[in-house]
Amino acid sequence: MAAAATVRTRSLAGGVVPVALLLLVLCTGSSSAAGQLDVGYYNKTCPAAEEIVRNETAAAVTASPDLAAALLRLHYHDCFVQGCDASVLLDSTPNNTAERDAKPNGSLRGFDVVARVKDRLEQACPGTVSCADILALMARDAVSLAKGPSWPVALGRRDGRISSAGSCGELPPLHGDVGLMVQAFAAKGLDLKDLVVLSGAHTLGKAHCSSYADRLYASAGCSTPDPALDARYADRLRMRCTSPYADDNSTTTTELDPGSSDTFDTSYYRHVARRRGLLRSDASLLDHRFTRAYVLQAASGRYDGHFYHDFAVSMAKMAAIGVLTGDQGEIRRKCNVVN
Ligand SMILES: *[C@@H]1O[C@H](CO)[C@@H](O)[C@H](O)[C@H]1NC(C)=O
Ligand SMILES: *[C@@H]1O[C@H](CO)[C@@H](O)[C@H](O)[C@H]1NC(C)=O
Ligand SMILES: *[C@@H]1O[C@H](CO)[C@@H](O)[C@H](O)[C@H]1NC(C)=O
Ligand SMILES: *[C@@H]1O[C@H](CO)[C@@H](O)[C@H](O)[C@H]1NC(C)=O
Ligand SMILES: *[C@@H]1O[C@H](CO)[C@@H](O)[C@H](O)[C@H]1NC(C)=O
């Protein structure tokens, strides 16, 4: 949304459209919080902010390449649950179970790296850079460090004061069919294209057995393994994941994009196209005309540039979901507790 607004304003400033319309657009724009985010937000108050984030993220991802996926995921979880307000980073308190401790918290990781970045930013410019902005910047840097695209991130988010395990129902379900996924995205103002493009984030990272084991075995609910899963691939997965009742404690993980799970590229789409999407939500991208066409196009390997561009656009939309700006929320001093 932020990116689209910028483009529109620029073309209007070119003078093609009457001034009255320009004013109208500006007024509408200023009513939405997303319109208040700005790429140069910290230029004066913390000019080194982006470089500090980039340097710390680079050090962490160089040491453990699989952190790239974890950092991208933290931002995604943050934005889908109650908006991009860093609520995902808050610790539980004696009277409140926070998002990160929700029953299936999907083993979120990277909290320590975020804390390190925050400490350095507090030294450089105390009380200035929000944890929500840090997550947005780290996600962008993680993708580019994994050899993916980079893009300007609009900044100025503020941090929320509430984090509730109960809100995690807003996350798109890993077991969802394409209809449920479309609904979960639409509820956040994201469309079919955002769905298939942001699913491409599964070019990075791994999944626990518990998130796909039900596709491998006949069970009470399903009398056969998931027919949408390539049979030979399913055989291999059953060797890793030996029971349909795998629990989240299992340490067995499987790459979502086998062979290049630390590199941001389009091979994820090739796996999905060959019916080797690991999660039901990945596989279900073949079940809708639009998302299927996109998967097949990206899988051809001839549209990497298009995908990178699309990914940057959809990330900017996601990063503007339900943001707090102006005098809303606060700038946390530590990302895991409210001030
Ligand atoms: C902020 O700084 C960046 C990089 O130095 C520059 O590209 C951008 O135009 C600046 N934005 C504003 C609003 O000053
Ligand atoms: C970031 O890293 C570069 C290269 O190591 C270094 O020259 C620069 O001073 C660092 N910047 C900050 C703000 O730490
Ligand atoms: C938890 O208790 C503290 C102190 O009594 C209170 O300030 C806070 O609002 C409570 N949080 C919730 C979610 O009830
Ligand atoms: C996930 O939740 C469990 C409890 O359900 C908790 O022990 C664990 O620390 C949480 N993981 C993270 C990364 O917060
Ligand atoms: C998983 O771990 C949690 C906490 O460590 C424990 O309470 C739970 O019983 C374990 N689940 C299984 C199925 O072993």
Side-chain angles (χ1 to χ4, degrees):
M1 270 180 275
T6 314
V7 171
R8 235 186 319 154
T9 312
R10 225 180 267 135
S11 69
L12 289 171
V16 189
V17 181
V19 173
L21 189 52
L22 173 59
L23 290 177
L24 184 68
V25 170
L26 289 179
C27 294
T28 331
S30 67
S31 69
S32 88
Q36 292 165 20
L37 299 179
D38 179 0
V39 172
Y41 190 81
Y42 296 115
N43 275 17
K44 294 211 171 68
T45 53
C46 194
E50 295 205 29
E51 194 176 315
I52 291 173
V53 174
R54 169 85 190 182
N55 279 10
E56 291 295 325
T57 308
V61 170
T62 305
S64 338
D66 65 349
L67 265 177
L71 295 172
L72 183 53
R73 205 150 150 258
L74 270 183
H75 179 46
Y76 168 84
H77 273 238
D78 185 32
C79 292
F80 267 86
V81 183
Q82 194 187 288
C84 316
D85 65 349
S87 51
V88 72
L89 300 177
L90 288 173
D91 287 338
S92 293
T93 59
N95 57 359
N96 179 57
T97 304
E99 280 170 35
R100 57 177 287 184
D101 294 321
K103 197 60 181 169
N105 56 15
S107 40
L108 291 169
R109 295 182 304 125
F111 296 96
D112 51 337
V113 191
V114 176
R116 203 148 62 230
V117 170
K118 178 61 171 172
D119 284 347
R120 279 213 55 199
L121 286 169
E122 286 299 298
Q123 281 163 23
C125 2
T128 305
V129 182
S130 69
C131 298
D133 278 346
I134 292 173
L135 287 179
L137 289 170
M138 290 181 84
R140 184 269 310 269
D141 292 344
V143 167
S144 78
L145 287 160
K147 303 193 172 66
S150 188
W151 57 91
V153 176
L155 300 165
R157 294 166 194 77
R158 291 172 63 87
D159 300 324
R161 295 193 184 93
I162 297 170
S163 175
S164 167
S167 318
C168 289
E170 297 170 43
L171 281 170
L174 298 176
H175 303 282
D177 61 23
V178 73
L180 281 176
M181 296 299 289
V182 170
Q183 264 178 37
F185 271 64
K188 303 295 172 186
L190 300 178
D191 60 23
L192 268 173
K193 183 164 181 185
D194 298 317
L195 168 61
V196 66
V197 167
L198 292 175
S199 295
H202 284 173
T203 178
L204 299 176
K206 298 177 178 149
H208 282 268
C209 223
S210 55
S211 50
Y212 63 86
D214 64 321
R215 303 186 68 203
L216 306 178
Y217 299 93
S219 63
C222 314
S223 55
T224 58
D226 188 345
L229 189 59
D230 173 78
R232 270 196 295 175
Y233 189 50
D235 283 342
R236 261 194 275 157
L237 291 173
R238 271 187 289 269
M239 289 194 278
R240 299 184 63 76
C241 207
T242 52
S243 147
Y245 308 110
D247 66 84
D248 288 317
N249 298 353
S250 145
T251 52
T252 309
T253 55
T254 301
E255 295 172 313
L256 289 154
D257 179 9
S260 83
S261 70
D262 290 335
T263 307
F264 193 98
D265 56 21
T266 50
S267 63
Y268 160 79
Y269 291 108
R270 280 191 280 289
H271 290 291
V272 173
R274 296 168 62 207
R275 307 193 321 134
R276 294 176 174 204
L278 186 61
L279 308 178
R280 199 179 297 275
S281 54
D282 297 320
S284 80
L285 294 173
L286 294 176
D287 296 339
H288 185 287
R289 206 160 17 105
F290 181 87
T291 53
R292 180 185 173 83
Y294 194 98
V295 166
L296 297 182
Q297 178 182 302
S300 75
R302 284 182 285 116
Y303 293 90
D304 290 9
H306 285 75
F307 167 62
Y308 289 172
H309 171 263
D310 292 344
F311 192 77
V313 170
S314 290
M315 283 294 282
K317 280 176 77 174
M318 186 186 88
I321 296 173
V323 295
L324 305 175
T325 58
D327 57 5
Q328 298 169 315
E330 63 184 18
I331 304 296
R332 271 179 229 150
R333 282 187 289 274
K334 287 206 169 288
C335 290
N336 61 327
V337 286
V338 298
N339 290 344

